[in-house]
């Protein structure tokens, strides 16, 4: 049995995926722009992930742009039968690497076809609509227009399932009236827990929640508290952060990213990390620590 089998599984769309997956974002160049520094190393990471039992890979054609999807195709095609590739649309990259909204029907349609072509697929397993009202976090506003375009592409048979990214609970509720939403992808970690109520709501509906930035935005005090727990458990802070997320709710699917095989193995080993009750209590208190400290 693969060690990541210990992370458990959850239904994403119509398929069971292991709760510990892989995010391909960091395979592109610096700033998620341009080619990787080491092309062969990027391919090795993808192949190691699948060899280790990962069957859920998160990507987007605006990573690079086009870079990570082409790497995934080169490394893994023809794809293993159980591999579930999740991509996203709704953004594009400026010539300087800026992250820009891409919500028009033409841009969304082109993005789906770009993902299909660069991944070498006839249909995309899951497409997340990334909402870009504010690139730095969720911001209120109707998502009906772009989501209706994506739902139409689904009806055309180009997309099997639809998810949402960088969204508020109100936008999730709006989106569920337009299409069957199978996952929500937002920033969430042991220090930033705005989505606590949303995660519970989604779990009751059987909808996956996919947090990104498991170590993002920590204050020095919060980082110190996490490191103290990691030191006592002879683990890395990332392993502890991932293990906490696995314990947080059964509908959480993880997509930690790295461009290093060694770091990939460390991240996947989080599935085997047992967090004692005292450590869980300490970690649960991290969010309440003074973020200005």
């Amino acid at each position: 049995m693969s060690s990541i089998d210990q992370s458990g599984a959850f239904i994403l769309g119509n398929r069971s995926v292991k709760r510990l997956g892989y995010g391909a974002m960091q395979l592109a160049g610096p700033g998620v722009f341009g080619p990787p520094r080491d092309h062969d190393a990027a391919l090795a990471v993808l192949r190691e992930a699948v060899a280790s039992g990962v069957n859920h890979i998160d990507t987007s054609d605006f990573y690079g742009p086009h870079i990570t999807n082409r790497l995934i195709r080169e490394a893994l095609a023809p794809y293993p039968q159980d591999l579930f590739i999740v991509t996203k649309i709704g953004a594009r990259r400026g010539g300087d690497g800026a992250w820009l909204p891409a919500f028009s029907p033409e841009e969304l349609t082109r993005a789906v076809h770009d993902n299909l072509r660069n991944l070498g697929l006839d249909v995309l397993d899951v497409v997340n609509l990334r909402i870009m009202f504010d690139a730095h976090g969720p911001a209120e506003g109707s998502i009906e227009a772009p989501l209706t375009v994506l739902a139409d592409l689904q009806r055309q048979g180009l997309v099997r399932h639809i998810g949402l990214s960088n969204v508020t609970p109100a936008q999730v509720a709006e989106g569920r009236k337009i299409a069957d939403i199978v996952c929500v992808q937002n920033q969430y970690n042991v220090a930033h827990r705005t989505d606590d109520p949303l995660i519970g709501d989604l779990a009751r509906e059987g909808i996956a929640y996919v947090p990104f930035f498991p170590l993002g935005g920590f204050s020095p005090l919060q980082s110190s508290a996490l490191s103290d727990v990691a030191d006592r458990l002879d683990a890395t802070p990332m392993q502890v952060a991932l293990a906490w997320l696995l314990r947080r709710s059964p509908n959480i699917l993880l997509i930690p990213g790295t461009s290093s095989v060694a770091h990939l193995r460390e991240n996947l080993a989080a599935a085997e990390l047992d967090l004692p009750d005292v450590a869980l209590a300490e970690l649960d208190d991290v969010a309440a620590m003074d973020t200005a400290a």
Side-chain angles (χ1 to χ4, degrees):
M1 182 176 70
S2 168
S3 63
I4 72 165
D5 288 341
Q6 297 179 50
S7 68
F10 192 79
I11 298 298
L12 179 57
N14 61 346
R15 299 254 296 276
S16 176
V17 299
K18 294 170 189 177
R19 294 181 61 213
L20 191 46
Y22 173 72
M25 182 177 184
Q26 293 186 32
L27 292 182
V32 200
F33 198 64
R37 291 190 177 95
D38 189 329
H39 183 90
D40 290 342
L43 299 181
V45 169
L46 288 162
R47 289 167 179 156
E48 177 70 18
V50 171
S52 299
V54 167
N55 65 353
H56 170 207
I57 291 180
D58 181 85
T59 185
S60 175
D61 212 54
F62 55 71
Y63 294 163
H66 315 304
I67 298 296
T68 62
N69 281 355
R70 291 171 180 170
L71 289 169
I72 289 168
R73 182 178 185 178
E74 181 179 355
L76 302 177
Y79 299 112
Q81 189 171 7
D82 70 336
L83 183 63
F84 212 65
I85 299 177
V86 178
T87 188
K88 65 184 69 65
I89 62 175
R92 62 181 178 85
R93 307 303 296 278
D96 59 353
W99 302 82
L100 304 171
F103 278 168
S104 73
E106 295 77 16
E107 288 172 316
L108 294 169
T109 301
R110 182 166 58 249
V112 164
H113 284 280
D114 285 346
N115 277 278
L116 288 166
R117 181 179 62 257
N118 287 314
L119 286 168
L121 293 170
D122 296 322
V123 58
L124 299 171
D125 290 325
V126 179
V127 175
N128 286 324
L129 177 63
R130 170 80 178 184
I131 301 303
M132 294 285 290
F133 298 148
D134 184 341
H136 302 291
E140 295 294 357
S142 176
I143 64 172
E144 180 179 2
L147 185 54
T148 298
V149 174
L150 182 52
D152 185 57
L153 292 166
Q154 182 184 40
R155 285 189 289 272
Q156 294 176 35
L158 301 178
V159 175
R160 287 196 178 95
H161 304 286
I162 293 174
L164 298 172
S165 178
N166 199 42
V167 286
T168 68
Q171 288 164 339
V172 174
E174 180 188 25
R176 294 188 66 202
K177 295 176 182 177
I178 299 168
D180 182 20
I181 303 300
V182 302
C183 59
V184 172
Q185 188 179 102
N186 277 358
Q187 181 176 0
Y188 178 84
N189 57 45
V190 69
H192 293 270
R193 300 181 58 177
T194 303
D195 275 355
D196 270 340
L198 177 61
I199 290 171
D201 291 343
L202 295 175
R204 286 185 287 274
E205 298 294 333
I207 298 172
Y209 183 90
V210 188
F212 55 82
F213 295 151
L215 289 181
F218 282 55
S219 72
L221 182 60
Q222 291 168 331
S223 294
S224 177
L226 180 64
S227 294
D228 287 346
V229 172
D231 288 344
R232 293 202 309 273
L233 297 177
D234 193 26
T236 69
M238 176 65 95
Q239 288 173 327
V240 171
L242 295 174
W244 180 86
L245 286 166
L246 287 172
R247 287 286 296 270
R248 169 62 185 82
S249 181
N251 67 322
I252 287 181
L253 302 178
L254 303 184
I255 50 168
T258 179
S259 59
S260 159
V261 168
H263 289 161
L264 172 70
R265 291 171 177 162
E266 284 184 1
N267 291 344
L268 297 183
E272 304 175 69
L273 183 61
D274 182 31
L275 295 178
D277 289 342
V278 64
L280 280 171
E282 289 180 57
L283 293 169
D284 285 342
D285 289 340
V286 165
M289 292 180 176
D290 182 7
T291 57

